[in-house]
Amino acid sequence: MNPVTGLRELPPLMRGLVGAYVVSGVTHLVRPQVFEPTIPPQLPKARELVYLSGVAELVCAAGLVNPATRRAAGYASAALLVAVLPANVEMARQAQASVRRRSTPGKQARLAGMLARVPAQWPLIKASLDIARR
């Protein structure tokens, strides 16, 4: 299977998601400390959860590119997006608290991005399920 051909078969939104999964997955593994504060305090072993989510993102990316695993990867991708939603809400909450403490244009831009990220997950979940159901 040629990964480039597999990637071309995906709709543009899913190609973007594959790219985001690769970048984010690698970042989770290389710089886990960036993501640890976003793990809700009720969950134990933040670093291990960051590593686990990074590996899950890379597995979903690879699975979406391969037509033989695309269906399972679509469902896994939807589940992953639901699972990381609390972390994305926490990142938005932290960005908002940072702006309240001392507002700067950079902090305001980060907050806007974090706030947009939460509802943006719904179309990605839908697209993942659509790929799985094809």
Side-chain angles (χ1 to χ4, degrees):
M1 192 271 322
N2 181 339
V4 174
T5 302
L7 193 57
R8 283 189 194 135
E9 293 173 356
L10 293 172
L13 181 61
M14 292 309 292
R15 278 186 250 151
L17 182 59
V18 167
Y21 276 157
V22 170
V23 170
S24 182
V26 169
T27 306
H28 276 72
L29 299 177
V30 175
R31 304 244 3 233
Q33 66 276 14
V34 170
F35 297 97
E36 285 179 34
T38 69
I39 303 296
Q42 301 83 358
L43 297 176
K45 300 184 180 184
R47 171 119 344 161
E48 288 84 351
L49 290 172
V50 170
Y51 285 143
L52 179 64
S53 63
V55 169
E57 288 175 329
L58 293 171
V59 168
C60 284
L64 288 167
V65 170
N66 185 344
T69 57
R70 191 168 289 152
R71 179 181 172 96
Y75 285 121
S77 176
L80 177 61
L81 289 164
V82 170
V84 300
L85 188 57
N88 289 331
V89 169
E90 180 61 19
M91 287 186 343
R93 189 198 65 73
Q94 289 175 6
Q96 189 173 35
S98 179
V99 167
R100 280 192 193 125
R101 283 191 301 276
R102 182 172 174 262
S103 183
T104 66
K107 286 182 178 184
Q108 290 173 355
R110 183 173 188 281
L111 174 59
M114 293 298 108
L115 290 174
R117 186 178 182 161
V118 174
Q121 288 203 231
W122 301 118
L124 294 173
I125 292 167
K126 182 186 180 312
S128 295
L129 292 173
D130 289 347
I131 284 292
R133 293 176 181 146
R134 275 191 187 178

